[in-house]
Amino acid sequence: MIIEPIISGVVARSAHPEGCKKAVDNQIDYVKSANPIKNGPKRVLIIGASSGFGLAARIALTFGGAEADTIGVSFERGPSDKGIGSAGWYNNIFFKKRAEQAGRRAINIVGDAFSKDVREQVIEAIETYFEGEVDLVIYSLATGLRPDGDGGFWRSAIKPIGESVSGATINLETEQWEEATLSPATDEEIQGTLKVMGGEDWESWIDTLINSDSVADVLKPLLFRILVQRHPPNLP
């Protein structure tokens, strides 16, 4: 099969499995050559694990000295008659293969991290593979949509607030520099962005994990402090 690159503006719409494998291997080789992580966590949950910061953290914790076992959550698309599938789909597969070759456990949970079903799968995996608790939680979801609970979605926007911003950008599709202007976000876009990216879902995940007793005792004080900072008590 010949896989052609498909790029729309600055977004790659296609992925090549061998390219994904090479990218994962390159990151593994890099962290193995870097200064090792000492006294690192051993059982890690990564919500948003298939690319970007989430994948990099997973690789660093597994191969960079901590020798961590991981559970990775991501919403990816596999191969079908509609296409070859997403890059994250293959990143998950190749990471898991390399981790298991190194004697580490790597559990991939593919599904909507906003859903109740995926949270239940995560709690079950923690109980089954991690003796009931994790000692680090990394939240690295990259999405523009979050269900609002009423059949619709909140949508995030990467826009300035108050004034337009103009500048140069590169169009990967045409390989040209272009001048672009971003108009300021509307109040609706600002509120939608806060709902998607403002930490509310992270807080919900942490509540779920604490209430199911799925986090190690050493981690709970830090999580409680962060939650209190988000919702300070009303003191007289």
Side-chain angles (χ1 to χ4, degrees):
M1 175 186 292
I2 298 176
I3 303 171
E4 297 288 346
I6 301 174
I7 299 176
S8 300
V10 296
V11 179
R13 301 293 184 184
S14 61
H16 198 296
E18 287 301 314
C20 295
K21 178 182 177 183
K22 181 61 175 176
V24 169
D25 285 343
N26 286 346
Q27 292 184 66
I28 291 173
D29 289 341
Y30 175 81
V31 299
K32 283 183 175 179
S33 67
N35 292 332
I37 298 171
K38 298 180 180 179
N39 302 317
K42 298 299 183 183
R43 299 168 177 171
V44 182
L45 169 62
I46 303 173
I47 305 166
S50 59
S51 62
F53 179 81
L55 176 61
R58 199 177 191 190
I59 290 172
L61 290 165
T62 299
F63 297 98
E67 298 184 345
D69 296 326
T70 60
I71 297 171
V73 180
S74 57
F75 193 23
E76 296 298 338
R77 183 181 70 258
S80 69
D81 56 359
K82 295 182 179 180
I84 192 67
S86 61
W89 176 270
Y90 296 101
N91 291 341
N92 284 338
I93 291 172
F94 294 124
F95 170 82
K96 180 179 178 69
K97 180 178 180 180
R98 293 290 185 251
E100 291 179 345
Q101 288 173 343
R104 301 268 58 86
R105 179 169 280 137
I107 310 301
N108 291 332
I109 296 176
V110 178
D112 183 359
F114 296 122
S115 71
K116 179 181 178 182
D117 176 63
V118 164
R119 296 185 187 209
E120 291 174 349
Q121 289 182 53
V122 167
I123 292 169
E124 181 179 352
I126 293 172
E127 184 66 30
T128 302
Y129 301 106
F130 286 178
E131 298 181 358
E133 62 182 33
V134 294
D135 50 10
L136 178 65
V137 179
I138 295 174
Y139 185 93
S140 182
L141 286 188
T143 179
L145 297 173
R146 177 187 169 200
D148 63 10
D150 294 321
F153 294 91
W154 290 300
R155 300 176 184 273
S156 65
I158 303 177
K159 290 185 175 182
I161 294 177
E163 297 181 357
S164 298
V165 172
S166 298
T169 184
I170 185 171
N171 186 322
L172 298 178
E173 184 178 2
T174 61
E175 298 185 352
Q176 298 290 323
W177 284 101
E178 297 178 352
E179 291 294 324
T181 298
L182 284 177
S183 58
T186 65
D187 289 343
E188 181 180 358
E189 288 172 328
I190 292 171
Q191 292 305 311
T193 303
L194 286 172
K195 284 292 185 179
V196 176
M197 304 172 67
E200 190 174 79
D201 183 66
W202 171 89
E203 181 180 349
S204 177
W205 262 100
I206 296 305
D207 283 341
T208 297
L209 294 169
I210 290 176
N211 290 334
S212 64
D213 205 24
S214 298
V215 295
D217 289 341
V218 68
L219 189 58
K220 289 179 181 178
L222 172 60
L223 295 177
F224 280 127
R225 284 201 298 272
I226 295 174
L227 292 173
V228 169
Q229 288 173 355
R230 284 181 57 81
H231 300 284
N234 295 321
L235 300 177

